[in-house]
Amino acid sequence: VGMVMEGVVARVRTGVLKAWLLSKGIDLRGCVERRDLEDEAKKLNGQENDLEAFVVRSAAQQEEEEGRAKRRRAGSTPAEAAEGGSDFVKCGSFAGALPGFSFKLGKEGLGYYKEAAGVASRAEEVPTKCDTSTRAGPGPEPSSSSKRNCRHGTESADREDGFFDGWSIKEIKRWLGDRGLGTEGCLERSDLVARAMEARRGAAVPPAAPSR
């Protein structure tokens, strides 16, 4: 038995060695352990180059398959990635609504996070806006307690939805700005969250003021 063949066999992974032997038409039904495979390979002394070439091809094939799997998981769009069963789709900017997912900055970074069942429906039941600009006819201004209740409802919706949890004021403003939406009249973080939540739900939101 050539020492060269023995050295090559020792470096080859068991799965690859088995595949190579099968490609040579070797009957492996009696091979139970690794050394049984090595013994069969050593009988093919003189085919060291062929075995090494097979190892290289196998490694390239495995790398290609892993690349395809990674691309399938990532997807060319968030929707394709979501179809692959991922709970998180990394995305540097909002790419449109994705059913069952929320776009936010979370522990995995910025992207689409899979929502728990029923979260969105519960969040929509919570009032998110106090609109005093469209009241029909004259009437008293809402009391300060009413405004506080409205704001409380907004913050509750934010907590229920969880979309903007952990976002800073700057990040929320940037999210609105990327969509051409204004932040005029938003004095506190809760005001920004309310406006952003309205935008997510498709409500009319004032556009950004034109730059001077």
Side-chain angles (χ1 to χ4, degrees), residues 28-183:
L28 301 180
R29 284 177 292 182
C31 296
V32 179
E33 298 181 1
R34 161 82 187 196
R35 64 171 177 265
D36 298 326
L37 296 174
E38 292 180 353
D39 290 341
E40 291 294 333
K42 291 172 185 176
K43 295 177 183 178
L44 300 176
N45 187 36
Q47 299 194 39
E48 299 87 353
N49 292 339
D50 184 76
L51 175 55
E52 289 180 329
F54 186 87
V55 170
V56 172
R57 289 196 302 272
S58 297
Q61 183 178 4
Q62 182 179 1
E63 184 176 352
E64 182 179 353
E65 290 175 353
E66 289 175 352
R68 282 199 299 266
K70 186 175 181 180
R71 288 191 294 274
R72 283 196 300 269
R73 289 194 299 269
S76 58
T77 66
E80 291 176 355
E83 290 175 359
S86 176
D87 291 337
F88 169 69
V89 181
K90 187 175 181 63
C91 194
S93 61
F94 184 73
L98 187 61
F101 285 76
S102 289
F103 181 78
K104 61 182 180 179
L105 180 64
K107 63 180 182 180
E108 300 292 340
L110 185 62
Y112 290 85
Y113 288 79
K114 191 170 186 178
E115 296 175 338
V119 167
S121 59
R122 287 200 304 273
E124 289 169 1
E125 294 172 0
V126 184
T128 62
K129 184 179 181 182
C130 270
D131 190 353
T132 61
S133 63
T134 57
R135 288 183 290 115
E141 282 291 319
S143 65
S144 58
S145 61
S146 297
K147 292 180 179 179
R148 284 196 300 271
N149 289 337
C150 178
R151 177 165 293 171
H152 175 72
T154 297
E155 291 173 350
S156 297
D158 185 26
R159 287 195 297 271
E160 286 288 341
D161 184 274
F163 186 90
F164 294 102
D165 286 355
W167 285 46
S168 66
I169 291 176
K170 182 177 180 180
E171 288 167 337
I172 299 173
K173 285 184 176 180
R174 183 171 61 195
W175 187 90
L176 288 165
D178 288 346
R179 288 152 187 79
L181 305 177
T183 59

